[in-house]
Amino acid sequence: MNLDYPITYIKGVSVQRATLLYTELGIKTCNDLLNFFPFRYIDKTQFYTIKDLQPNSSEVQIVGQITNVKSVAQKRGSRLVATFQDATGTMELVWFKGQKWIKDSLKINVPYVVYGKLNHYNGSFSIPHPELELVTEYKKKLQTKMQPVYASTEKLTNSGVSNKLMRSYIQHLLQQVYDGIQESLSQDIIDDLQLMHKRDALLNVHFPKSQAHLAKAQYRLKFEELFFIQLQLVRKKLVNKTKIKGFVFEHVGEKFTNFYKNHLPFELTNAQKRVLKEIRKDVGSGAHMNRLLQGDVGSGKTIVALLAMLLAIDNGYQATIMAPTEILANQHYTAVSELLTGMNINVDILTGSVKTKKRREIHQSLEEGTLHILVGTHALLEDKVKYKSLGIAIIDEQHRFGVKQRAKLWNKNRQSPSQPSQREEAKSPSLTLPKGKGTDKTEKSLPFGEVGGALPPHILVMTATPIPRTLAMSVYGDLDISVIDELPPGRKPVKTVHRFDSNRLSVFKFLKDEIAKGRQVYIVYPLIQESEAMDYKDLMDGYESVAREFPSPKYQISIVHGQMKPADKDYEMQRFVKGETQIMVATTVIEVGVNVPNASVMIIESAERFGLSQLHQLRGRVGRGADQSYCILLSSFKLSAEAKTRLKTMTETTDGFKIAEVDLKLRGPGNIMGTQQSGVLNLKIADVVKDAKILVAARNTAIAILQDDANLVKPENLPIKTAFSAMTQTSKIWSNIS
Ligand code: ADP
Ligand code: MG
C-alpha cells in the first residue's frame, strides 16, 4: 500500500471517520496518520515504589497491599479511601463513584498491582480511581507493552473515535506498510549517529517495546524532522549565494577611506572590524547579500551600517536605513549627518511627519540619484519612494517590521523585476547548485553591477534582540549571520538592582545624588493611560509624583509617550538629548535605540510587567558613556515565580545572549520575535528549545552533506534526495524571512 493513499484504505476507517479525522486533526493520507505521534504513553512496563514517587510522575504502577478501607464524609456525599502500602511507604487510593461495589470487592492484605494517575496533595500521594489487579491474576496474563495516547478532540470522542480505535487504525496501517517504509537518511548518517532505522522508529514511536526503544525512536524522528528543515535552509542559503545576483561594490573608494581615516571618532572594535569584513566580502562577491547583524544594545551597529553605506556610495549606488520609530530615525539622521559633515554626501530623512512639498523634493532627488542616503521610517516603503540605484538597504531593529514590509525594499530600484522572479530560483525544488563554495568566475564577469539596473539592493538587517543560537538556526537559517559580541572599550557593565515600591524614597534620593553629579535619568512606565487593571502605575500619575519630588526650576522633566504628536515627542526628546532636562519620564517608546550617553540611571517602574527582552532593551539605554550606570527595577511585593526569575536574571547578567536563553526557556519559542513566520512552532515531534542538541547535530549534518554533495547526486545520498524532493513538492516550505 502506498503511503499517499487516503486513510480510507486502512481497515475499519469509514469515509465519515476519515472526513472527521481530516477536519479535526488534519489527517488525510496514510502518511499523515503514520506521522501523527502519540503525545504520551501509558507505561506499564515499569514498577514504582512508594518511596520513589515524585510529585511530577503522572501515571504509575505499584505493587502493594490494601491495609484498611474507610468512607470519609465530605461536603457533598463521601469518598472511599483505601490505605495502600508497600515495603517502602504508604499512600491512598480514592474513589468517588461506585463506592459500595468497590468496597465489597476490595481484598485486604493481599498483593495488588495498582495503576493510575498520581495525585500529590499536602505532601502525600494518592491515586483516584486506580486500576486494580490481583498479583496472582496479573502474573497469568501476557504483559502489555507501553501504550500510546493520541491527542483527540471532543468531536472525535463523541463520534466514537476513541484512543483505542486510533491505536487499532495505526496498528493495522503499520502491519500493512512496515516492510515498504523507505529509509530517508543515508546509511552514513545512520551509522555515524547510531540512529534507529526509519521503519523501526515509526513502529516504536507508536508501539514502543520499552522506554529505551522509545527514546531511540524519538531521537531518530526528531533528528529527521530537524535535518530536513536544516537541509532546506542551508540549501536556500547556498542558492542565494550562488544564484541570486547582487550589485558588486568593486572598490573601496574615496568616501569610505576618507571617512575611515579622517572622520571616524574612535577605533572600531575587533568585532566591528570582523563584521565589516564579512559585509565587504558579501558585497564584493557578485551575489546578493542577505545578512543579519546581531549585536547587543550599545555594541555599535550604527557605525558598521554607515560604513557599509559608504561602500555603496563609493560604487555609485544609493543607500537607505529604515528604523521602526520616528525618534530612532531622527537619531540616525542626526548621527549620520554629523559624522558625514564636510564629506559632500547628501543625507535626508523621510518620516510620516515630513510635509508634502519636502516629500516631493526627496522623491525627485532620489530618482535623480543626487540624494545619497535616505534615513526614515515605514514611510520609506511607500510606492512613490523609488531610487535611481539603491545599492544597500539597512533595516534597524528588524523584528519590528513584518516580512512583507521588509520584502518591499527589494523592489525599490526603478526597473526592478518583481521579487518573485528573483526568488523563484531559490525555491525551485530541482537541485542545481554549482559545485563547491566559491562563485563561478563566468558569473562574476556578467554586467550585473550596472547602475540603475534590475537587481535588488543588498540587505542588512540589524537587531539588538539577541536570538539564542539554536533558535537563530531555525528562524534565520537561510541568512548569513554576523555577531558583534564585544562592547566598545571603557564601558562599565550597568549595575542592576531590584527594589520594592516601598523603597521609592531612597531611590529618589539616589536619583538626586546622580543628577547633582550632572547625570541624567530615565523613568519608564509600562502603560500610557490608566488601564482596567488598576494596579498599573499610570504614567501621568507617575509624572505628577516625580514632578512633586523634583520641583522646577531646580529640576527639568521631559515626558514622552506613544500618544504624543511626533513633533512634540521630538521636541521633548531633543531637550533631553541637549541636557536641558535631567529626567525623562517615558513609556517604552524610548526602548528602541535611543542614545543619550550622559544618561546614567534607568528606573523601570512595575518592572514585573515587562518581558525580559524589553527589560534588557531598556537597560541598554544607559551605560553608553564613560560613567558608571545603574538600572533600578521597581516592583510590587507580589511577584509570580516567572517574574522573580526575570528580575533575578536581570540583576545577575548583562549578557544579552544569556538573557535571551532564559527568555526562550520561560516563554517558549512562540513568543520570541520572528518565530511566528518560521515554522518552528509547527514541528511535529522536535522542540527547538528542548532538543537544541539534536538541532545542532542536524544542522551540522546538513551542512556537511551539502558541502560534499550540493546536488545530492551521490548514490549514497539518494534516500535523502528522494525524501527531500517529496517534502518540498508537498510545499511544506518555510517562509522566507527577509
Ligand atoms: P547599537 O548597536 O545599540 O545600535 P550604537 O551604534 O548606537 O549601538 O552605538 C552606541 C554608542 O557607542 C554610540 O554612541 C557610538 O558612537 C559608540 N560606539 C560605537 N562603536 C564604538 C567604538 N568602537 N568605540 C567607542 N565608541 C563606539
Ligand atoms: Mg541601534
Side-chain angles (χ1 to χ4, degrees), residues 266-269 272 296-302 488 491 595 624:
F266 37 67
E267 203 193 333
L268 294 185
T269 62
Q272 286 170 319
D296 219 335
V297 277
S299 61
K301 294 183 290 297
T302 317
R491 298 270 173 84
N595 189 22
R624 300 191 148 228

Side-chain angles (χ1 to χ4, degrees), residues 301-302 328 332 396-397 462 593 624:
K301 294 183 290 297
T302 317
L328 194 51
H332 279 322
D396 200 10
E397 311 295 345
M462 309 201 294
R624 300 191 148 228

Side-chain angles (χ1 to χ4, degrees), residues 290-291 395 403 406-407 410 419 423 459 461 478-479 736-738:
N290 208 4
R291 186 170 280 279
I395 306 168
V403 175
R406 280 179 263 151
W410 276 68
Q419 185 188 334
R423 300 242 103 179
I459 307 271
V461 300
D478 60 333
L479 300 190
N736 199 23
I737 292 299
S738 70

Side-chain angles (χ1 to χ4, degrees), residues 90-257:
T90 324
M91 62 182 291
E92 288 181 343
L93 308 177
V94 185
W95 291 266
F96 302 93
K97 291 181 194 157
Q99 295 181 27
K100 171 150 178 21
W101 179 81
I102 288 161
K103 192 171 183 180
D104 293 344
S105 64
L106 289 179
K107 295 194 164 74
I108 304 290
N109 295 329
V110 176
Y112 274 108
V113 178
V114 164
Y115 179 85
K117 200 167 178 328
L118 194 65
N119 273 350
H120 182 250
Y121 185 72
N122 264 349
S124 62
F125 290 99
S126 65
I127 298 177
H129 289 265
E131 291 173 26
L132 279 172
E133 195 169 29
L134 291 169
V135 169
T136 47
E137 295 295 315
Y138 178 87
K139 280 190 175 151
K140 279 186 214 156
K141 277 196 349 204
L142 199 68
Q143 285 327 305
T144 44
K145 301 189 188 100
M146 293 172 67
Q147 281 180 7
V149 181
Y150 297 94
S152 188
T153 67
E154 216 177 305
K155 257 200 184 151
L156 280 171
T157 322
N158 291 343
S159 314
V161 184
S162 63
N163 194 54
K164 201 168 150 199
L165 202 58
M166 283 296 278
R167 276 206 300 259
S168 82
Y169 289 165
I170 293 172
Q171 202 162 13
H172 286 304
L173 174 61
L174 269 166
Q175 273 160 4
Q176 276 178 284
V177 300
Y178 178 80
D179 289 328
I181 294 174
Q182 295 296 316
E183 182 49 72
S184 59
L185 298 175
S186 65
Q187 194 58 43
D188 285 350
I189 297 180
I190 290 173
D191 292 345
D192 283 353
L193 297 164
Q194 304 190 334
L195 298 177
M196 196 180 244
H197 272 284
K198 176 141 185 168
R199 62 172 70 124
D200 292 318
L202 285 171
L203 180 65
N204 274 287
V205 83
H206 289 291
F207 304 103
K209 285 206 185 83
S210 68
Q211 287 282 2
H213 280 80
L214 175 62
K216 284 215 90 170
Q218 284 174 328
Y219 187 95
R220 147 78 209 217
L221 294 169
K222 286 174 178 180
F223 177 87
E224 172 172 345
E225 181 168 46
L226 296 169
F227 171 77
F228 280 104
I229 291 166
Q230 288 303 324
L231 198 66
Q232 190 184 318
L233 289 169
V234 172
R235 189 171 157 268
K236 195 155 139 197
K237 188 164 144 180
L238 287 177
V239 171
N240 271 340
K241 277 217 169 118
T242 47
K243 279 294 179 70
I244 300 183
K245 295 176 186 64
F247 298 123
V248 190
F249 298 170
E250 248 158 327
H251 43 271
V252 176
E254 189 265 328
K255 303 270 192 252
F256 185 97
T257 317

Side-chain angles (χ1 to χ4, degrees), residues 1 33 45 50 238 316 352 410 460 617 650:
M1 184 161 88
L33 187 63
T45 61
I50 293 175
L238 287 177
W410 276 68
L460 179 69
Q617 287 280 328
M650 285 300 292

